[in-house]
């Protein structure tokens, strides 16, 4: 089955064995009466296993080309739960531009439990390999990165990981399984903030992990059940509903993105645009090999901070807000909103300047968005 068919028919059974319904039910029960003394059953207590969460987990696994899916209460709950499979003294290599929340749990929480992390520019495979130590257990990457859309060679990272017997963990939130499926490229664990494209409407906080290996699945299931940072039945149901339109939404948002980029590149107030498939992105060829499109997040710079400020203040359709992946177009200022944990000099050195604007394109009419950006740039 192709992606759209799987998204719509991938979970087709009844949640309630006595109902004729083919799957669009929510089961809110926290406990399920034991049918037979001494016989274990699939659903007993819903932190451990529950029907609607199971449907969400089945579908996200199918869409990511994995065997086992796990639903969590947020993207950070997914990442934190997965990391509890490691031990004090273990070392990890992270991309420099990973999501700020991931940096924060490693830098401010897991460090207290004896985890060691090194943050490197993973667009340079030599730097990734050089960071591997005898106690390294995993390499954690995001591609493309936020907010400059730099590309990491997933297959290249997987090769280094396999050579040193490490796991490759990919946060695939920005691409969604529509555009990039890291398990097909050899990665071991895929993570998602389902708050973004999978939920898609800026109204659910949720997360997911997907794997193929049974041993890894056992460890993640144990962490999920033991820690209990679960996605609720109602949110699981909303996510199942959202996933039926995931491909349509991502494709439309990407189409809008290409139109907005074409407009911005010719506008005199715009200095530079950042997008994975732009000719001046040094990872363009790699991105085109590992993903089927550039996605719907891009960044651009304007000539001054004052211009950026007036742009944010003048928009009438796009909203000045953090997050991405929803139907609304959101614009954000990485320097003051999403990359606040880094010192100013470090941000500037990395290109996260005060004149940088990040755009998460939504599903509005492209001409309306272009007109909105035009008037805001010219204010
Ligand atoms: C939003 C986001 C997260 C965190 O997800 P939450 O659902 O907010 O906990 C992790 N990684 C990336 C790339 C994100 O964009």
């Amino acid at each position: 089955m192709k992606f759209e068919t799987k998204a719509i028919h991938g979970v087709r059974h009844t949640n309630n064995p006595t109902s004729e319904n083919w799957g669009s039910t929510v089961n809110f029960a926290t406990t399920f009466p034991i049918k037979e003394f001494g016989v274990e059953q699939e659903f007993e207590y819903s932190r451990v296993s529950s029907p609607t969460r199971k449907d969400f987990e089945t579908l996200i696994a199918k869409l990511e080309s994995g065997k086992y899916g796990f639903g969590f209460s947020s993207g950070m709950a997914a990442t934190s739960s997965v990391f509890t499979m490691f031990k004090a003294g273990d070392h990890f290599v992270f991309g420099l531009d990973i999501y700020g929340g991931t940096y924060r749990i490693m830098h401010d929480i897991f460090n207290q439990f004896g985890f060691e992390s090194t943050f490197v520019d993973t667009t340079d495979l030599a730097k990734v390999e050089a960071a591997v130590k005898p106690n390294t257990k995993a390499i954690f990457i995001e591609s493309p990165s936020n907010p400059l859309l730099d590309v990491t060679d997933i297959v290249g990272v997987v090769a280094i990981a396999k050579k040193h017997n490490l796991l490759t963990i990919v946060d695939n939130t920005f691409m969604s399984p529509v555009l990039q499926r890291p398990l097909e490229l050899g990665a071991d664990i895929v993570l998602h903030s389902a708050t973004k494209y999978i939920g898609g409407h800026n109204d659910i906080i949720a997360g997911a992990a997907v794997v193929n290996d049974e041993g890894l699945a056992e460890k993640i299931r144990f962490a999920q059940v033991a820690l209990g940072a679960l996605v609720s039945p109602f949110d699981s149901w909303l996510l199942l509903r959202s996933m039926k339109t995931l491909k349509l939404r991502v494709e439309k948002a990407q189409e809008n993105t290409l139109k907005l980029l074409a407009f911005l590149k010719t506008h005199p107030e715009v200095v530079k645009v950042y997008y994975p498939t732009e000719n001046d992105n040094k990872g363009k060829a790699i991105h085109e090999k590992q993903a089927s499109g550039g996605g719907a997040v891009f960044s651009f710079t304007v000539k001054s901070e004052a211009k950026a400020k007036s742009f944010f203040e003048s928009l009438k359709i796009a909203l000045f807000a953090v997050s991405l992946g929803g139907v609304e177009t959101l614009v954000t200022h990485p320097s003051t909103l999403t990359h606040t944990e880094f010192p100013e000099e470090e941000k500037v050195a990395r290109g996260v300047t005060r004149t940088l604007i990040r755009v998460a394109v939504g599903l509005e009419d492209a001409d309306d968005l272009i007109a909105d950006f035009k008037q805001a740039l010219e204010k």
Side-chain angles (χ1 to χ4, degrees):
M1 271 195 268
K2 293 274 173 45
F3 194 94
E4 299 91 315
T5 319
K6 277 198 277 191
I8 293 166
H9 295 285
V11 173
R12 188 201 255 178
H13 66 83
T14 165
N15 287 323
N16 173 355
T18 63
S19 142
E20 292 300 313
N21 195 298
W22 38 263
S24 68
T25 52
V26 197
N27 188 323
F28 291 108
T30 55
T31 186
F32 301 85
I34 306 297
K35 294 194 188 85
E36 200 180 336
F37 183 85
V39 179
E40 207 184 308
Q41 58 190 41
E42 183 177 16
F43 304 116
E44 293 181 347
Y45 182 60
S46 72
R47 172 160 44 73
V48 178
S49 176
S50 88
T52 318
R53 187 174 89 229
K54 186 187 165 201
D55 286 350
F56 166 62
E57 296 178 332
T58 301
L59 194 58
I60 187 63
K62 284 190 181 177
L63 297 189
E64 276 291 357
S65 300
K67 287 204 190 112
Y68 308 94
F70 301 92
F72 292 93
S73 55
S74 69
M76 290 322 304
T79 305
S80 321
S81 299
V82 161
F83 268 92
T84 62
M85 76 170 71
F86 299 109
K87 293 187 181 62
D90 286 351
H91 171 259
F92 311 96
V93 178
F94 284 89
L96 255 188
D97 289 336
I98 52 160
Y99 182 70
T102 305
Y103 175 82
R104 184 163 53 207
I105 55 168
M106 299 317 298
H107 197 260
D108 299 333
I109 297 180
F110 282 124
N111 64 323
Q112 302 180 77
F113 297 90
F115 286 20
E116 287 174 43
S117 339
T118 305
F119 298 85
V120 297
D121 173 6
T122 54
T123 67
D124 183 344
L125 292 177
K127 287 188 181 153
V128 174
E129 184 143 33
V132 172
K133 305 202 283 186
N135 56 337
T136 304
K137 292 292 186 291
I139 306 175
F140 186 111
I141 55 170
E142 270 171 48
S143 183
S145 72
N146 176 29
L148 295 174
L149 292 312
D150 289 325
V151 177
T152 291
D153 181 346
I154 299 175
V155 171
V157 167
V158 165
I160 294 168
K162 288 213 168 13
K163 180 171 151 200
H164 296 275
N165 205 15
L166 317 173
L167 297 174
T168 303
I169 307 174
V170 182
D171 179 337
N172 200 34
T173 301
F174 266 51
M175 286 284 97
S176 89
V178 174
L179 301 174
Q180 182 170 278
R181 289 174 297 279
L183 295 179
E184 290 177 6
L185 303 169
D188 300 289
I189 303 175
V190 168
L191 295 170
H192 274 286
S193 168
T195 311
K196 315 295 166 55
Y197 290 101
I198 293 168
H201 298 72
N202 291 324
D203 56 8
I204 307 166
I205 295 276
V210 183
V211 301
N212 267 317
D213 179 75
E214 200 184 331
L216 277 178
E218 281 309 312
K219 288 179 183 167
I220 297 174
R221 184 174 296 117
F222 179 78
Q224 185 193 33
V225 167
L227 296 164
L230 306 156
V231 62
S232 73
F234 188 72
D235 286 349
S236 298
W237 174 73
L238 283 175
L239 291 163
L240 281 159
R241 198 175 192 277
S242 292
M243 283 194 283
K244 293 181 203 274
T245 56
L246 178 60
K247 187 156 191 263
L248 268 178
R249 288 187 283 105
V250 168
E251 284 175 352
K252 164 72 175 172
Q254 181 173 266
E255 203 180 290
N256 281 351
T257 301
L258 297 173
K259 288 181 184 166
L260 260 179
L261 278 170
F263 161 74
L264 290 173
K265 283 196 284 184
T266 62
H267 198 284
E269 293 294 344
V270 174
V271 179
K272 179 171 161 54
V273 301
Y274 297 84
Y275 189 63
T277 57
E278 279 298 301
N279 286 331
D280 63 355
N281 187 318
K282 68 178 167 47
K284 179 180 197 283
I286 293 164
H287 186 80
E288 285 170 347
K289 254 194 327 201
Q290 67 193 18
S292 57
V297 177
F298 71 90
S299 294
F300 69 101
T301 47
V302 289
K303 287 173 187 156
S304 66
E305 187 177 348
K307 184 47 105 178
K309 181 171 181 285
S310 78
F311 174 77
F312 288 121
E313 290 170 351
S314 309
L315 287 166
K316 294 192 166 73
I317 295 172
L319 298 159
F320 183 24
V322 298
S323 203
L324 62 126
V327 292
E328 293 92 356
T329 295
L330 305 180
V331 296
T332 176
H333 191 231
S335 175
T336 57
L337 287 172
T338 57
H339 284 59
T340 46
E341 69 274 19
F342 301 107
E344 186 68 22
E345 318 80 73
E346 199 182 324
K347 283 191 280 200
V348 172
R350 282 196 203 172
V352 184
T353 61
R354 299 220 151 223
T355 60
L356 185 78
I357 295 167
R358 191 194 79 183
V359 185
V361 184
L363 310 187
E364 301 92 338
D365 179 83
D367 294 333
D368 286 343
L369 289 176
I370 290 170
D372 192 32
F373 275 51
K374 182 173 193 298
Q375 64 81 24
L377 279 170
E378 291 169 9
K379 261 282 159 57

